Amino acid sequence: MGVTILTDLGMEILIPICAVIGIAFSLFQWYLVSKVTVGTDKPHSSGDDKNGYTESLIEEEEGINDHNVVQKCAEIQNAISEGATSFLFTMYQYVGVFMVAFAILIFVFLGSVDGFSTKDQPCTYDRTKTCKPALATAGFSTISFLLGAVTSVVSGFLGMKIATYANARTTLEARKGVGKAFIVAFRSGAVMGFLLAANGLLVLFITILLFKMYYGDDWEGLFEAITGYGLGGSSMALFGRVGGGIYTKAADVGADLVGKVERNIPEDDPRNPAVIADNVGDNVGDIAGMGSDLFGSYAESSCAALVVASISSFGVNHELTAMLYPLLISSVGILVCLLTTLFATDFFEVKAVKEIEPALKKQLIISTALMTIGIAFVSWIALPSTFTIFNFGVQKEVKNWQLFLCVGVGLWAGLIIGFVTEYYTSNAYSPVQDVADSCRTGAATNVIFGLALGYKSVIIPIFAIAISIFVSFSFAAMYGIAVAALGMLSTIATGLAIDAYGPISDNAGGIAEMAGMSHRIRERTDALDAAGNTTAAIGKGFAIGSAALVSLALFGAFVSRAAISTVDVLTPKVFIGLLVGAMLPYWFSAMTMKSVGSAALKMVEEVRRQFNTIPGLMEGTAKPDYATCVKISTDASIKEMIPPGALVMLTPLIVGILFGVETLSGVLAGSLVSGVQIAISASNTGGAWDNAKKYIEAGASEHARTLGPKGSDAHKAAVIGDTVGDPLKDTSGPSLNILIKLMAVESLVFAPFFATHGGLLFKLF
């Protein structure tokens, strides 16, 4: 069809170099963060430096040398780090058992497609050629599943370690000014973002090259086996998101309801028994869970694009550079994000509170603008001028500039979703201010306004997703949709840096309060946290938007692989699937919400018990029993994450085996359509309630001061809204995007088995 400017050798050098640069940059950022000392050790070097790493940290602004405060910060940091590490280890032990069991299932089901034969077989899409046996695909799919799962676990765990390393350092830097604290929190987020993006890319690239040694020219089988990588990544992400979400919100709701509403003590007050569990939860839910989630999205969008490309002209003609176009986009994305990060940490300095949110927003705009140029460059050097893309049985001719537009439309749709999310969740704009104002008349009106805001916030993101689907499908069929999802995720390193910044700032505020630091320092960490809340909502918007595109691309690949010619909604088989699929996100949300509610109930009872039975706790002369609250959250989340996880993992298997591929295609379409809407509204409702509470607490405007101060009736109503929103924005909402992706990628992996042995019930009648 045409040659590419970039040779195969050039591509094989470029991808790993970009990944290694990403890893090196993240380690350099970590080194800079580590220069901030916690404890009474001396700083690493003397002299002054723009970012303030080498100034003496022991001096308070007011000129007091307080070693006790620093020591206290170190102790609290250790407690949070130990709690998060022990929880993740416990969770990974349970999930590890599931992982091994599911890997065996993949091998047995896929191996049985051709009766465990070791003979070569005719290819699925071109019967004149022979492909490797189904048993080989079963074995390699199992290996890639385990690789994806391990990479996902490592991504989440490293993110948590970095966040717990950085939280106290951010608190200590806040004594020198809000700018210094911002840089530490943002650098730490960047460590996680770049490590995850580079690791995900490097592992996938090496896996493809190693598998290629066995598969040779059978690219159809090779990339079918690679889809296991996305399945492994997402299945770990599901348990991480659900388990971490239940942990963090049980502690948060318990701490807020008893501490703020009943006892009238500040947030993160050391007298509150649930305060350590709450801070641990930020790291296991918002950091480890989010890391695994976005890694899963990245892995799946790459796999979906590669599967479709393998049966298009790239795969048929064995054009390796064009074939790995999705990985080249991610490689350039790492370089673009690296440059973008320097704008926040080196080129411009944040000096005042009001500059924090604009600095984070600029990250999104700069990375999107630069990435557009990057995509144009990659499309020019890595794609032939014309090529064909597989489109449900026919080959559609596509030009390279059309593919550039597909990726670009996904990238810019992501930015639009990000800004719409920010408008609906930031307390700088009228929607959140209206929610805060509704607290005058109590919690009920606050809940009504918050729900309405969430429903309304779905409108523009859905149009953005719909337009990007239409444009990308018109140009390049299902492959266009897969690369549009990759476009949305191409700036994943920056997106994750912004996202991880939020929980780190939240922890920093908690540590400042617990260590008894001055009111001014708490104000600074609160300002960092409020901006972090909005950016976390933006991150969730990106994750949900990309999940919609990814699952549609996977759905297309599944329909092709299962040899379904058309998905006809009017046939009863498909329509019943559609109805059941649309119901699944509600069932899943019900499970996760109830889990948080029952765990929070236990937490509230324990916190009340300690306040009532430990003499001197309210006066601050006795220490609360933090460990019991940590144990309640751990036990609840481990126990409660299994049913929702089982629902998502077993549904495609049960439907595929009993009702066949047509009904399963209906289930996937239904869950995608309803899951996206619920996920966006849940995340934005929760984010708006949280920031409405912070708006009243900060009292930064005349309007906010009329509603406050902390402890007023309006503030208590806002706290109730916030606690209702907690499981919506941090458990159910973000887990739903994994539900829609995971069911689609699982169906794709098992498609050969379902097509051969599925639909048992319909075969009986």
Side-chain angles (χ1 to χ4, degrees), residues 246-259 262 272-278 595-611 625-637:
I246 293 168
Y247 186 107
T248 178
K249 291 305 117 183
D252 199 355
V253 171
D256 280 1
L257 284 180
V258 184
E262 293 179 12
N272 194 327
V275 73
I276 293 285
D278 184 9
S595 299
V596 172
S598 54
L601 200 65
K602 289 181 194 146
M603 189 68 77
V604 167
E605 285 167 355
E606 174 58 24
V607 175
R608 277 181 185 155
R609 183 194 68 75
Q610 290 196 31
F611 274 123
D625 175 10
Y626 297 129
T628 306
C629 291
V630 170
K631 189 174 184 323
I632 287 173
S633 264
T634 303
D635 293 349
S637 52

Side-chain angles (χ1 to χ4, degrees), residues 67 90 187 224 248 349 388 390 413 418 449 493 585 617-618:
H67 290 269
T90 311
R187 279 192 197 282
E224 197 174 296
T248 178
E349 221 176 327
T388 62
F390 184 85
F449 268 70
L617 183 56
M618 269 307 279

Side-chain angles (χ1 to χ4, degrees), residues 106-152:
I106 291 173
F107 182 74
V108 172
F109 276 25
L110 293 184
S112 69
V113 168
D114 204 19
F116 295 99
S117 164
T118 52
K119 292 196 185 84
D120 285 1
Q121 55 178 5
C123 297
T124 310
Y125 298 98
D126 185 353
R127 294 311 226 172
T128 59
K129 293 181 181 170
T130 54
C131 286
K132 297 291 181 190
L135 194 63
T137 302
F140 283 103
S141 294
T142 308
I143 293 166
S144 59
F145 167 76
L146 292 170
L147 274 173
V150 170
T151 311
S152 180

Side-chain angles (χ1 to χ4, degrees), residues 287-325:
I287 298 266
M290 186 66 176
S292 293
D293 180 3
L294 280 175
F295 165 74
S297 279
Y298 162 72
E300 282 162 338
S301 53
S302 303
C303 292
L306 291 168
V307 166
V308 179
S310 70
I311 49 176
S312 303
S313 64
F314 302 155
V316 174
N317 303 330
H318 299 102
E319 298 165 357
L320 189 62
T321 300
M323 185 72 215
L324 297 186
Y325 174 70

Side-chain angles (χ1 to χ4, degrees), residues 403-754:
L403 212 51
F404 156 68
L405 288 179
C406 292
V407 187
V409 81
L411 178 69
W412 285 91
L415 187 70
I416 290 165
I417 292 170
F419 279 150
V420 170
T421 307
E422 191 225 8
Y423 174 71
Y424 280 106
T425 57
S426 167
N427 55 27
Y429 303 106
S430 62
V432 171
Q433 291 172 9
D434 289 346
V435 171
D437 192 63
S438 71
C439 294
R440 289 175 192 281
T441 47
T445 42
N446 179 27
V447 170
I448 292 166
F449 268 70
L451 287 172
L453 176 146
Y455 297 147
K456 194 177 176 189
S457 70
V458 173
I459 301 167
I460 298 172
I462 291 297
F463 275 118
I465 292 168
I467 291 166
S468 53
I469 287 170
F470 181 77
V471 170
S472 49
F473 189 87
S474 301
F475 283 141
M478 278 298 170
Y479 186 70
I481 294 171
V483 292
L486 263 173
M488 209 178 270
L489 291 165
S490 57
T491 53
I492 187 173
T494 295
L496 259 170
I498 292 172
D499 211 63
Y501 153 88
I504 292 169
S505 305
D506 193 354
N507 260 209
I511 292 171
E513 184 73 50
M514 285 186 268
M517 289 181 156
S518 71
H519 180 61
R520 288 175 69 184
I521 291 169
R522 181 71 222 221
E523 275 181 353
R524 287 171 187 167
T525 55
D526 276 354
L528 291 170
D529 183 22
N533 247 338
T534 302
T535 56
I538 292 172
K540 284 169 193 144
F542 264 92
I544 295 162
S546 63
L549 294 175
V550 168
S551 51
L552 184 58
L554 291 165
F555 175 69
F558 162 73
V559 168
S560 301
R561 185 64 192 84
I564 306 170
S565 50
T566 53
V567 179
D568 186 354
V569 181
L570 294 176
T571 56
K573 279 185 189 177
V574 176
F575 195 77
I576 56 170
L578 209 58
L579 277 178
V580 171
M583 172 274 294
L584 285 173
Y586 290 94
W587 189 1
F588 179 83
S589 298
M591 282 179 164
T592 49
M593 294 284 284
K594 181 119 185 294
S595 299
V596 172
S598 54
L601 200 65
K602 289 181 194 146
M603 189 68 77
V604 167
E605 285 167 355
E606 174 58 24
V607 175
R608 277 181 185 155
R609 183 194 68 75
Q610 290 196 31
F611 274 123
N612 293 333
T613 59
I614 299 177
L617 183 56
M618 269 307 279
E619 293 72 33
T621 54
K623 279 187 88 172
D625 175 10
Y626 297 129
T628 306
C629 291
V630 170
K631 189 174 184 323
I632 287 173
S633 264
T634 303
D635 293 349
S637 52
I638 297 293
K639 188 173 118 232
E640 301 281 357
M641 74 179 180
I642 295 164
L647 173 73
V648 178
M649 299 299 288
L650 295 178
T651 299
L653 292 176
I654 293 167
V655 174
I657 292 166
L658 296 181
F659 300 97
V661 286
E662 287 179 320
T663 307
L664 182 54
S665 65
V667 169
L668 295 179
S671 65
L672 166 61
V673 168
S674 83
V676 172
Q677 331 273 343
I678 305 170
I680 296 173
S681 68
S683 292
N684 291 351
T685 293
W689 275 327
D690 197 345
N691 273 347
K693 175 199 72 177
K694 284 193 164 59
Y695 174 74
I696 295 171
E697 287 175 350
S701 67
E702 193 54 50
H703 174 239
R705 283 191 286 276
T706 62
L707 299 168
K710 287 183 184 180
S712 67
D713 285 346
H715 177 246
K716 283 183 177 174
V719 170
I720 290 167
D722 175 35
T723 49
V724 173
D726 273 338
L728 283 172
K729 75 173 167 58
D730 289 323
T731 313
S732 297
S735 305
L736 279 172
N737 59 58
I738 304 176
L739 172 137
I740 56 177
K741 293 181 309 194
L742 185 51
M743 283 177 38
V745 75
E746 191 182 333
S747 302
L748 174 59
V749 168
F750 286 105
F753 176 76
F754 295 150

